[in-house]
Amino acid sequence: MDETRQQDNPSAHRSFHPDKYAPAKGPGRTVSKEESGNPHGTPTKSMSSRGEEQGKGSGDKGVHDTGPRGRSQRPSGTKDASAFTGVDPQDPPESETRSAG
């Protein structure tokens, strides 16, 4: 097994002693006219619903609210076959079935 040794690294010493080796701070940058004040502009009114309002239920057909679940009290729910869309629904609703002929 080789002998472990540490190489001399003078830059490491300079890195950990910036007060002694680092140059003095410069003047900084000047703030432009566009940046001064409120650079992000004026706030806008949100057009979407709040999460609390969205969680009250969509009212979609076939979707059922089962109330809050667990310690976090997150909303939960189920949906029946009428809520599924697709080519081959497993249990199509009676009003949408077509008669053969």
Side-chain angles (χ1 to χ4, degrees), residues 81 83-93 96 98:
F84 286 95
T85 59
V87 177
D88 185 23
Q90 297 301 310
D91 185 21
E96 294 181 20
R98 294 183 185 175

Side-chain angles (χ1 to χ4, degrees), residues 4-101:
T4 303
R5 60 184 184 159
Q6 188 173 356
Q7 294 180 342
D8 188 32
N9 186 357
S11 69
H13 180 75
R14 289 192 302 268
S15 297
F16 289 100
H17 296 89
D19 51 326
K20 184 176 179 182
Y21 296 103
K25 277 189 150 187
R29 67 179 187 90
T30 56
V31 178
S32 69
K33 181 180 73 166
E34 294 82 12
E35 286 182 300
S36 63
N38 184 1
H40 303 292
T42 57
T44 59
K45 178 99 171 120
S46 175
M47 301 303 287
S48 62
S49 303
R50 295 181 53 161
E52 293 88 354
E53 298 300 319
Q54 292 177 4
K56 289 186 177 175
S58 64
D60 290 340
K61 187 173 80 171
V63 179
H64 310 287
D65 183 19
T66 58
R69 275 279 237 278
R71 205 170 78 187
S72 67
Q73 294 297 295
R74 289 188 176 188
S76 62
T78 61
K79 56 185 179 176
D80 57 27
S82 66
F84 286 95
T85 59
V87 177
D88 185 23
Q90 297 301 310
D91 185 21
E94 296 301 320
S95 62
E96 294 181 20
T97 56
R98 294 183 185 175
S99 61

